[in-house]
Amino acid sequence: MRFLSILTTKSSAYLLQKIGRGGSLPGQLGLKFDPDIFKKLTFKGPVIVVTGTNGKTSTANMIADLFERAGKKVVSNRRGDNLREGIATSLLANANLQGVVQADVVVLEVDELNVKYILPNLPVSAFVVNNFFRDQLDRAREMEQLIESIEKVLPNYDQTLILNGNDPNVVRLALKAPKANVVYFGLGRNKYSQETTNEASEGKFCPVCGNRLEYSYYQYSHIGSFHCAKCHFRTPILNVELHDIDLEDHTFYFHQEKFKDPYQGMYSMYNCAAIIAVAEVFCIGFDVVRQVFANAPQPKGRNETFIKDCREVVLNLIKNPTGANEVMKVIEHDPADRSIVIVLNDKEQDGTDISWIYDTYFEKLMSKNTKKIVTAGTRGTDMALRLYYGGYQGVLETKETIEEALQEIGNDHDKLYVIATYTALLPSRNAIKKEMGL
């Protein structure tokens, strides 16, 4: 059945490519012919899997760039098809009919709930985990259940774990992987670190004894330096520890070497630390790492900026409290007068449970610099109610569509921030470009 599975996937992927389409349908067909096809593939080099709640797409893509710039042929699911079917499409479309994947290195972004299908069935050389936060409760359920689904496939894993050592929810994975070589990455204490936090924090309790964790400092949310007063569980010694963090200049140091982060925010620094950790494990030089950072593309909807005739619009994706809070911080620190459009949808890909908006500090938007907020989307009125309960006293409007919301802002010369959930992101991007004539 391997032959039919690969042939069907390759043929359907080719036909879809001819008409300008992609997606996971080819892999879905391939898995129907052979559900065990992953176990029947052969790889010429390392297979690297990246997962986590926030940042896995950027991290996986930069890891793929890392190996390409080091002269390797890479197969990767760069378009973000990170479920089992999408991964099957990427692998089978790039395999010959004998099941040999035609690449020196394979880099796969994997949805957290799909790790259990991938890790035991592929010869994974390095498993990179960025972070775990509460996200899409209706699909992923509580974070504890999600982490346990990954822990169950770790006891026999005997290759390299590359883990965020500042996230207790990630560090705990090492406890379930006694055969693995563990490499930890993270950030040292810096001028932005805080001794207390009022953000949503999922890493409150020790996974070993259940005691409440104590923190020396927080970087954001529950990410920081932690220890349990009753047992041995604590922040491990970091193999890759970034220091001298400068969020204004987007720079940091590692081993007395200065690097520039291609993106904004503390969470992006953690993505960079993960890239350096992979480079260290696979003996790739810092000169290549710098090339990757210098040429990293701006992901659509991740602080994406549109400018025309002195008009500036910034588009950002939000999907859970922690990621949204980091977006709020960027806006909060911008001294410019601004208007804001928030598009909140509750479709399946967004997560139908929108209670997370009450764990997000939208209050960070409520300063004198914010002149107007317009909400839209399938749950736009709920978003407006959240802002009202949060104490926003400025101009607040609700519109049915993103187009109407942008028209409501009109030709205001204030800087405009558009914040959108997953299914609203592309429509918002298209509406912005149309409104600005780009």
Side-chain angles (χ1 to χ4, degrees):
M1 300 303 286
R2 181 184 69 184
F3 177 84
L4 282 175
S5 176
I6 296 173
L7 180 62
T8 301
T9 302
K10 289 175 73 70
S11 301
S12 55
Y14 175 78
L15 292 172
L16 285 174
Q17 186 180 29
K18 280 293 185 182
I19 60 174
R21 294 182 59 187
S24 60
L25 177 60
Q28 186 177 347
L29 295 173
L31 286 168
K32 284 186 179 296
F33 277 104
D34 193 340
D36 294 322
I37 188 61
F38 289 147
K39 295 179 179 179
K40 300 174 182 179
L41 298 176
T42 302
F43 298 85
K44 299 177 181 180
V47 177
I48 300 167
V49 165
V50 181
T51 198
T53 308
N54 293 331
K56 55 182 175 286
T57 299
S58 296
T59 301
N61 287 346
M62 284 195 285
I63 292 172
D65 290 341
L66 187 72
F67 283 100
E68 285 184 348
R69 290 183 178 276
K72 305 296 183 181
K73 181 181 178 181
V74 178
V75 164
S76 183
N77 54 339
R78 284 182 176 272
R79 297 183 62 167
D81 293 326
N82 60 21
L83 304 184
R84 179 171 47 173
E85 297 80 5
I87 292 164
T89 300
S90 297
L91 294 179
L92 301 185
N94 289 283
N96 62 26
L97 296 179
Q98 289 72 47
V100 180
V101 178
Q102 303 296 293
D104 301 317
V105 181
V106 171
V107 180
L108 298 172
E109 174 194 340
V110 180
D111 170 79
E112 304 95 295
L113 286 176
N114 278 253
V115 168
K116 61 187 176 185
Y117 303 122
I118 305 304
L119 202 67
N121 295 313
L122 292 178
V124 177
S125 311
F127 181 34
V128 183
V129 187
N130 276 351
N131 47 61
F132 289 127
F133 299 107
R134 213 156 43 90
D135 184 40
Q136 295 189 3
L137 291 178
D138 50 293
R139 183 182 76 89
R141 297 169 294 179
E142 284 295 339
M143 193 180 62
E144 184 69 21
Q145 294 171 294
L146 182 148
I147 296 173
E148 287 178 354
S149 76
I150 296 175
E151 288 178 331
K152 287 177 181 177
V153 298
L154 288 176
N156 293 320
Y157 181 69
D158 59 1
Q159 297 300 304
T160 302
L161 283 176
I162 301 178
L163 305 179
N164 183 345
N166 289 145
D167 186 342
N169 298 321
V170 174
V171 172
R172 63 182 274 188
L173 297 181
L175 302 176
K176 300 295 183 179
K179 300 178 182 179
N181 170 47
V182 186
V183 173
Y184 295 103
F185 64 87
L187 275 60
R189 185 191 286 269
N190 55 75
K191 61 184 178 181
Y192 307 99
S193 304
Q194 299 180 338
E195 293 187 2
T196 61
T197 182
N198 58 0
E199 296 179 12
S201 297
E202 288 85 5
K204 293 179 180 178
F205 300 100
C206 175
V208 177
C209 69
N211 187 53
R212 191 178 185 92
L213 291 175
E214 298 177 10
Y215 277 75
S216 301
Y217 58 85
Y218 295 89
Q219 308 288 25
Y220 69 98
S221 188
H222 63 271
I223 307 297
S225 179
F226 57 87
H227 69 276
C228 177
K230 290 189 176 181
C231 73
H232 64 277
F233 187 73
R234 62 184 300 112
T235 300
I237 295 173
L238 302 178
N239 304 90
V240 173
E241 182 178 58
L242 309 189
H243 57 90
D244 293 331
I245 307 298
D246 188 332
L247 294 182
E248 284 73 33
D249 195 36
H250 314 307
T251 57
F252 61 87
Y253 282 80
F254 175 63
H255 284 344
Q256 286 71 56
E257 298 270 356
K258 187 177 183 179
F259 296 86
K260 189 170 181 65
D261 182 351
Y263 306 119
Q264 293 190 47
M266 184 78 73
Y267 59 93
S268 179
M269 294 282 182
Y270 277 93
N271 297 344
C272 292
I275 305 308
I276 293 176
V278 171
E280 292 276 277
V281 168
F282 291 95
C283 301
I284 299 174
F286 288 165
D287 57 331
V288 180
V289 174
R290 286 196 179 89
Q291 290 175 35
V292 170
F293 292 161
N295 293 279
Q298 184 66 51
K300 293 179 180 179
R302 272 71 166 185
N303 209 50
E304 185 177 13
T305 303
F306 305 86
I307 299 175
K308 184 179 180 182
D309 300 332
C310 299
R311 178 69 161 152
E312 183 176 0
V313 180
V314 181
L315 175 63
N316 266 302
L317 169 72
I318 58 171
K319 60 176 185 171
N320 55 49
T322 299
N325 282 336
E326 292 306 298
V327 171
M328 300 304 126
K329 289 176 186 176
V330 171
I331 298 174
E332 180 185 33
H333 291 140
D334 185 348
D337 287 344
R338 57 194 173 241
S339 297
I340 298 171
V341 171
I342 305 176
V343 191
L344 177 65
N345 281 353
D346 64 347
K347 298 177 182 178
E348 185 177 357
Q349 290 172 291
D350 304 291
T352 56
D353 184 338
I354 64 162
S355 61
W356 62 271
I357 66 175
Y358 286 90
D359 292 324
T360 299
Y361 279 84
F362 288 102
E363 285 78 6
K364 292 180 180 296
L365 305 178
M366 301 176 191
S367 72
K368 63 180 182 180
N369 300 94
T370 300
K371 305 303 182 182
K372 180 187 295 184
I373 300 179
V374 183
T375 66
T378 57
R379 301 298 288 271
T381 53
D382 295 87
M383 188 66 244
L385 190 63
R386 164 67 183 90
L387 295 169
Y388 174 78
Y389 285 149
Y392 180 63
Q393 297 181 349
V395 178
L396 179 60
E397 300 282 346
T398 298
K399 298 296 178 182
E400 293 264 338
T401 67
I402 175 63
E403 290 81 7
E404 291 175 335
L406 291 175
Q407 289 169 9
E408 177 64 30
I409 297 298
N411 294 318
D412 293 349
H413 293 292
D414 297 335
K415 187 173 183 178
L416 173 61
Y417 282 94
V418 178
I419 306 167
T421 53
Y422 192 79
T423 63
L425 188 67
L426 184 57
S428 295
R429 189 174 188 273
N430 290 340
I432 291 168
K433 293 181 73 174
K434 182 178 179 181
E435 184 75 16
M436 297 181 73
L438 297 175

